[in-house]
Amino acid sequence: MYITGWRLGAVSAQDVVVGIIAEAFVDFVRRLCECERLREAHSRDLELAKVADEVTRAVSEGREGEFGPVVVKVQKKFLGRREVRASLYGREVDVDTLLAELSKARSRAAWLNSDCSEGALIEALYKYEDRYLIEVAQRNFDKFKKLCSGEVPQVDFGEAPGHVVEGVVRGVKTYLSGHGAGN
């Protein structure tokens, strides 16, 4: 006997829910790993954005200093004038180029910090309306990053029910078997 395409007894409700949790988890980890790759690819922008305000202030005040990947030098000129020179990652650049790079870095960092924040990534799980899955993701967020390099994390499930535990375990296996790092 078939009901809407399902044969009675072939798939239990528990199996369906576990499958949904596993798929949700795999989607979550894919996005998490994509964000980790983006953070790595834009690590210079993130580093530069951290010092952007200090560098901008130093340039406007004509103050020398080393700010992470940026070095600001001031040369005194005739009649009290000064010339500000800068180097970015060891390469000499003019001030306008430096300020443009700072602006780009701030923009990229803001985008990454927004779209790839823990809250934004976990929010994608809200549509599954399983608070236990969300709690497991929050509690183990940093541990799940290990999946991106192919490692199996030690997950703290807390008081999560069996369907969440089984779904996450199945999701980990699915991700690592065919959708892991590099795929």
Side-chain angles (χ1 to χ4, degrees):
M1 171 183 241
Y2 290 89
I3 298 176
T4 62
W6 292 86
R7 194 175 65 171
L8 284 179
V11 178
S12 71
Q14 173 86 5
D15 289 339
V16 171
V17 172
V18 167
I20 291 169
I21 296 291
E23 286 179 33
F25 182 78
V26 169
D27 289 344
F28 165 72
V29 173
R30 278 187 190 137
R31 181 70 182 126
L32 175 69
C33 293
E34 177 62 22
C35 283
E36 289 300 298
R37 283 189 288 275
L38 287 170
R39 285 187 188 287
E40 189 175 311
H42 295 290
S43 62
R44 283 183 151 205
D45 290 322
L46 294 169
E47 179 184 22
L48 195 53
K50 287 180 185 174
V51 298
D53 289 339
E54 284 182 86
V55 171
T56 303
R57 215 172 6 264
V59 167
S60 71
E61 295 171 359
R63 184 172 36 95
E64 290 189 347
E66 286 188 34
F67 311 92
V70 178
V71 177
V72 176
K73 298 267 187 199
V74 178
Q75 293 179 339
K76 302 281 184 192
K77 294 284 190 174
F78 184 67
L79 296 174
R81 291 186 36 196
R82 61 182 185 208
E83 180 182 34
V84 177
R85 304 186 62 79
S87 68
L88 176 61
Y89 293 107
R91 183 178 58 102
E92 191 167 319
V93 295
D94 62 59
V95 172
D96 290 337
T97 300
L98 174 64
L99 295 175
E101 289 300 316
L102 290 173
S103 178
K104 285 188 245 177
R106 280 183 182 132
S107 180
R108 285 188 194 114
W111 162 68
L112 267 173
N113 290 331
S114 173
D115 285 5
C116 290
S117 70
E118 182 175 335
L121 292 170
I122 289 175
E123 190 174 300
L125 295 173
Y126 289 0
K127 66 184 175 187
Y128 296 99
E129 297 180 5
D130 192 309
R131 73 177 177 96
Y132 293 107
L133 174 61
I134 294 166
E135 287 173 6
V136 168
Q138 288 171 325
R139 185 180 304 114
N140 297 281
F141 189 80
D142 288 332
K143 292 177 185 177
F144 288 143
K145 289 179 183 178
K146 291 180 179 184
L147 286 165
C148 302
S149 61
E151 293 180 54
V152 178
Q154 295 296 322
V155 181
D156 174 8
F157 287 102
E159 297 179 18
H163 72 276
V164 171
V165 174
E166 207 176 318
V168 169
V169 169
R170 186 185 297 175
V172 167
K173 288 178 184 175
T174 300
Y175 184 81
L176 290 176
S177 70
H179 304 93
N183 287 343

